[in-house]
Amino acid sequence: MAVASVAARYAKSLLDLAKEQGITDVLYEDMKLFRDTLSKNRQLNLILKNPIVRAEKKNSIVKQVFGPRLNPVTMSFLAIIARKNREAIVDAIADEFISQHDRMKGIEHATVITTVPLTDELRNKFKAIVTKTTGSKLIELDERVDSKLIGGYILRVGDRQIDGSIRNQLNEMRLKFMN
């Protein structure tokens, strides 16, 4: 079975449990912490994905690293994942849980790449563009700075991209001259 569909099923089960117990936001923060820790700690991620390391050892490591910081429901869920030998896809499960939670809450994610850090005025303008494009009222902007753009911005929302960078404009002009 594909990793994405398995991850979606586990994430949906956890989200349903969280709704029943009224702790969706707590588990959301737990999953964000878990995902961020795995993305920053390559060694921990590799241990969880390694089929040679026994499930008990992986579960012990997860308890030591996350035990005091995560909700008991999250820890129980991670123990179930370990028992079912699904540790290799736990990062995909966390990503899927976060995505399903955001869809449930109506949160839209967008990435803005500029040459300088955004001011509050620019941030609000980008949020307005995303709201107009998607119709979503809750917008989370991931702001990145890239000096290679020369000027302008790149805005990504889902699978759409608005490229208003000078680098892109120069490339388009170069292509026109070549033709």
Side-chain angles (χ1 to χ4, degrees), residues 100-113:
Q100 289 182 17
H101 178 273
D102 288 346
R103 270 182 296 208
M104 180 185 79
K105 294 280 188 175
I107 299 171
E108 186 68 46
H109 292 272
T111 303
V112 178
I113 304 171

Side-chain angles (χ1 to χ4, degrees), residues 11 16 37 90 120 127:
D16 290 343
T37 303
V90 74
D120 288 334
K127 285 183 178 182

Side-chain angles (χ1 to χ4, degrees), residues 12-145:
K12 184 180 182 329
S13 298
L14 182 60
L15 189 60
D16 290 343
L17 177 65
K19 285 180 198 174
E20 283 178 18
Q21 296 188 1
I23 56 172
T24 55
D25 292 334
V26 173
L27 294 189
Y28 175 72
E29 292 301 322
D30 283 356
M31 285 295 148
K32 281 179 41 179
L33 173 69
F34 188 79
R35 182 192 63 185
D36 292 344
T37 303
L38 286 181
S39 67
K40 291 177 184 168
N41 191 334
R42 177 174 155 70
Q43 197 170 20
L44 177 61
N45 199 6
L46 290 175
I47 288 172
L48 291 178
K49 290 184 182 296
N50 190 338
I52 296 172
V53 179
R54 297 179 58 206
E56 297 86 27
K57 182 69 174 169
K58 292 177 186 179
N59 198 19
S60 165
I61 291 169
V62 168
K63 281 182 183 175
Q64 288 176 353
V65 172
F66 296 104
R69 300 186 322 188
L70 298 182
N71 186 291
V73 173
T74 306
M75 290 305 297
S76 297
F77 178 75
L78 293 174
I80 291 169
I81 297 288
R83 234 186 359 252
K84 300 283 187 178
N85 293 321
R86 299 287 190 186
E87 308 93 350
I89 64 166
V90 74
D91 56 341
I93 294 170
D95 286 338
E96 185 62 32
F97 179 86
I98 291 166
S99 296
Q100 289 182 17
H101 178 273
D102 288 346
R103 270 182 296 208
M104 180 185 79
K105 294 280 188 175
I107 299 171
E108 186 68 46
H109 292 272
T111 303
V112 178
I113 304 171
T114 58
T115 56
V116 294
L118 292 179
T119 64
D120 288 334
E121 181 183 342
L122 285 173
R123 193 172 293 116
N124 291 334
K125 285 182 181 180
F126 283 118
K127 285 183 178 182
I129 292 170
V130 174
T131 299
K132 184 178 177 183
T133 305
T134 64
S136 181
K137 299 292 181 208
L138 299 171
I139 311 296
E140 283 191 15
L141 282 181
D142 177 23
E143 302 172 17
R144 298 182 186 166
V145 176

